[in-house]
Amino acid sequence: MLKRKFFIPSTFTSICCFCSLLFATLFFSFVYLHPRVTNNNYITTLNINTLKTRVISSSSKGVASDTVIDDFSKKADVNLTAPANNNDDVLRVQVLDSAVIELGLNSSSNDKVILNEKISNVTTTTNEEDVDEDEDYDLIPSLDVLSNPPWNCTREERIIWLKNKLDESKILKSTMKTRNFQKKIHAFLYKQGNITTAPPTTTVTANISDNNVTNCKVRVFLTWISPASLFGKRELLALESILKTHPDGCVMILSRTMDSKPGRSLLQPLIDLGYRILPIAPDFQYLFDKTPAQNWLDRLQAGEVDPGMVPITQNLSNLLRMVLLYKYGGVYLDTDIILLKSVSGLKNSIGIQSTDDKTRIWRTLNNAVLIFDKEHPLVWEFMVEFATTFDGFKWGFNGPYLTTRVVSKFVNNSLFQFNFMSPMAFYPIDWIRIPRLFEKPYKNGTTWAKVKFDEIDGQSYGIHLWNKQTRSLKIEKLSAMGRLISEHCIICQDVYDS
């Protein structure tokens, strides 16, 4: 039986050949003639109405011309004419001093080049700080893991685990953002700015046109080595209390994650009201340089320090606050301190957490509130103690108990001038009884909570919320804590849902 042969019309063959040729032509035009951007490792679409462009005519002999055109509109036409004696020149347009569009023109052309279509389709390289923004998002899962060290393992296994997690989290990595630390913080603290109105006092209508102003009457430092998503309602209320009591102060939040789009979006409502807040990624190498902290950090990264079982992020915060106060001077506050009155009048002060029941002499101190001048010798000794006695297994050993040990050594040394603040100043309620302030008071008679509210409101500079014990507690309406926070907040959003 003969096989049936299919007949393919010659017209169909011609159509296929024509389509193939057309596709090849379009592909060649797109790949070889389409304007290209050099060095596009990280690309993002350029979408702006006004550009600063640089017209460059280059050849094998070098750059033939370099003309800067400012405020070039995408809708405008531009004559690009190369020198007549360089026939091999290739005209290019450099957009925003970064991306280069090769126009593919020869130097003999006097054609008017319409850049509208070419520029609207161009892509340009992002700067390194934009790339850092992406890295900040990547910090979220790794920081969570970094805060939960493994149990039941050897010293060597803990050191290897920490080294891997530090590399993964990039928490100590030097980037363009961190290398700009000194420049940014100097501009924030010292750069002259224009104040259109007086700083905010009891209202929220102040309008300061330039956030980078001088004359910060109080410098307040916070640290946040956690994902920005965990900077919650209660932390924002604590920040509001700082600004409410120090409307002419400057607050710096040392944090890689808060110095990112998600972090800045949380702070923007307060910044828009004119308050001076700077989220800034810390440069650990710069900050720790020429201090006892540098030796400890070098040994940690070299795998010579056992991190223990306490999250290394907590101990980095303990050390970072010491370095900040030593190099800049000012006020350090934990993010669970609600300020009730200004601390601008305090100098070289540390708060007593507890006293002996019989002698009433101080027994333990706390480092949740530290107020010291720049290069104070006691703060230097704090860093020495941290670097030489570090213990990652005991909670508080490198924090509150460290300050207690160091002060005990130098309390009678006349070279170390500092002040003790009574427990009522910042720790009027201990961590065992603090939950009672979150509860609604009894309706009949004067209760303990009501009495404590009057004492704290009248005598304390602030109150420690002891977040480790109270984070899961809801602030009930009419409670003493609810009243204290409501009277010392600014936006006051979700006080009873925090």
Side-chain angles (χ1 to χ4, degrees):
M1 183 176 180
L2 295 176
K3 290 185 178 180
R4 185 176 180 180
K5 295 184 179 180
F6 292 93
F7 175 75
I8 301 176
S10 59
T11 304
F12 183 74
T13 303
S14 300
I15 293 174
C16 289
C17 292
F18 175 79
C19 291
S20 299
L21 180 61
L22 179 62
F23 176 81
T25 302
L26 293 174
F27 179 80
F28 177 85
S29 299
F30 180 82
V31 173
Y32 293 99
L33 299 181
H34 192 274
R36 295 187 300 276
V37 178
T38 61
N39 190 25
N40 57 344
N41 293 326
Y42 302 98
I43 59 174
T44 181
T45 301
L46 181 65
N47 183 20
I48 53 179
N49 293 323
T50 303
L51 305 174
K52 177 181 178 181
T53 65
R54 181 184 299 274
V55 181
I56 302 173
S57 174
S58 61
S59 68
S60 59
K61 298 179 182 179
V63 177
S65 66
D66 188 352
T67 306
V68 176
I69 303 174
D70 291 312
D71 295 330
F72 171 77
S73 173
K74 288 198 301 183
K75 296 181 179 180
D77 297 342
V78 178
N79 283 319
L80 299 179
T81 305
N85 58 345
N86 289 331
N87 295 327
D88 295 329
D89 284 357
V90 176
L91 292 182
R92 299 179 297 168
V93 174
Q94 186 168 356
V95 183
L96 297 179
D97 294 329
S98 57
V100 176
I101 313 171
E102 295 184 2
L103 300 178
L105 303 176
N106 59 47
S107 60
S108 62
S109 173
N110 289 321
D111 294 337
K112 181 177 288 189
V113 180
I114 301 176
L115 297 179
N116 182 27
E117 181 178 355
K118 293 181 181 295
I119 292 179
S120 64
N121 293 325
V122 75
T123 58
T124 182
T125 58
T126 64
N127 58 41
E128 190 173 345
E129 189 162 346
D130 291 331
V131 178
D132 286 346
E133 295 287 0
D134 296 332
E135 291 178 351
D136 291 330
Y137 290 109
D138 295 339
L139 279 171
I140 294 176
S142 53
L143 276 177
D144 285 341
V145 175
L146 196 60
S147 299
N148 295 281
W151 292 81
N152 299 325
C153 58
T154 65
R155 178 181 186 276
E156 290 72 20
E157 289 172 337
R158 283 191 300 273
I159 289 175
I160 293 173
W161 173 86
L162 178 65
K163 189 176 187 305
N164 292 335
K165 291 305 175 184
L166 284 175
D167 293 340
E168 178 185 335
S169 71
K170 305 181 180 69
I171 192 172
L172 301 177
K173 180 184 177 182
S174 177
T175 65
M176 177 68 77
K177 182 184 291 185
T178 62
R179 288 192 292 272
N180 282 333
F181 175 85
Q182 182 183 11
K183 179 180 178 181
K184 288 177 65 176
I185 202 167
H186 187 274
F188 181 69
L189 292 174
Y190 303 112
K191 182 179 178 181
Q192 292 289 342
N194 297 321
I195 302 178
T196 57
T197 66
T201 53
T202 58
T203 66
V204 296
T205 58
N207 179 25
I208 300 176
S209 62
D210 188 346
N211 199 39
N212 295 332
V213 297
T214 55
N215 301 323
C216 299
K217 291 190 177 180
V218 179
R219 297 177 184 176
V220 180
F221 295 97
L222 310 177
T223 64
W224 188 258
I225 312 181
S226 296
S229 59
L230 296 182
F231 198 90
K233 298 175 182 178
R234 200 166 291 181
E235 284 76 20
L236 284 171
L237 290 170
L239 175 60
E240 289 182 28
S241 74
I242 299 171
L243 300 169
K244 182 74 173 285
T245 53
H246 303 86
D248 49 4
C250 297
V251 179
M252 289 147 282
I253 305 176
L254 279 288
S255 172
R256 274 286 295 270
T257 55
M258 293 300 289
D259 187 7
S260 67
K261 291 177 183 177
R264 285 190 291 270
S265 67
L266 292 173
L267 306 174
Q268 199 60 47
L270 290 168
I271 294 175
D272 289 343
L273 292 174
Y275 293 97
R276 304 163 197 171
I277 310 169
L278 176 68
I280 182 169
D283 185 340
F284 285 95
Q285 296 299 328
Y286 167 75
L287 284 169
F288 287 12
D289 186 42
K290 298 179 181 179
T291 72
Q294 183 63 58
N295 175 264
W296 179 84
L297 184 64
D298 290 342
R299 290 188 292 113
L300 180 76
Q301 293 179 295
E304 299 173 5
V305 175
D306 186 345
M309 305 308 302
V310 177
I312 197 65
T313 50
Q314 175 63 46
N315 283 316
L316 279 172
S317 175
N318 283 328
L319 187 55
L320 182 57
R321 71 190 68 178
M322 303 173 195
V323 175
L324 289 169
L325 291 180
Y326 185 79
K327 290 206 166 183
Y328 295 97
V331 179
Y332 168 80
L333 297 172
D334 273 359
T335 54
D336 59 347
I337 295 286
I338 300 294
L339 282 189
L340 308 176
K341 62 179 66 171
S342 173
V343 298
S344 59
L346 302 182
K347 184 179 179 66
N348 299 324
S349 302
I350 189 167
I352 298 173
Q353 178 179 319
S354 64
T355 59
D356 185 272
D357 293 335
K358 295 181 179 180
T359 64
R360 309 305 298 173
I361 298 175
W362 69 274
R363 184 174 59 188
T364 58
L365 307 176
N366 200 299
N367 67 337
V369 180
L370 297 171
I371 305 171
F372 282 97
D373 292 339
K374 179 180 178 180
E375 297 182 355
H376 194 283
L378 186 63
V379 180
W380 178 272
E381 294 300 330
F382 287 158
M383 292 186 288
V384 171
E385 181 75 9
F386 186 101
T388 56
T389 68
F390 177 82
D391 188 332
F393 289 92
K394 301 175 183 177
W395 185 271
F397 184 86
N398 310 300
Y401 300 131
L402 180 148
T403 58
T404 302
R405 294 195 305 272
V406 173
V407 169
S408 297
K409 294 178 184 178
F410 299 101
V411 65
N412 296 319
N413 191 323
S414 60
L415 297 177
F416 296 82
Q417 297 293 323
F418 60 93
N419 302 300
F420 289 107
M421 302 299 295
S422 72
M424 183 57 68
F426 298 106
Y427 312 102
I429 304 294
D430 59 40
W431 59 272
I432 297 176
R433 295 184 295 170
I434 190 72
R436 297 175 64 181
L437 293 185
F438 286 70
E439 301 170 355
K440 184 184 300 184
Y442 296 109
K443 295 181 180 180
N444 299 322
T446 301
T447 66
W448 174 87
K450 288 182 178 180
V451 172
K452 282 299 178 183
F453 170 84
D454 292 336
E455 290 180 357
I456 294 169
D457 192 46
Q459 302 177 41
S460 297
Y461 284 93
I463 181 169
H464 196 310
L465 299 185
W466 305 104
N467 264 0
K468 187 175 175 60
Q469 285 73 31
T470 64
R471 183 176 296 278
S472 61
L473 297 180
K474 183 178 179 180
I475 301 175
E476 298 182 9
K477 292 185 177 181
L478 302 180
S479 65
M481 187 60 68
R483 291 178 61 192
L484 287 171
I485 294 177
S486 297
E487 293 176 9
H488 297 89
C489 56
I490 298 171
I491 299 175
C492 304
Q493 184 176 356
D494 299 326
V495 172
Y496 297 102
D497 291 327
S498 64

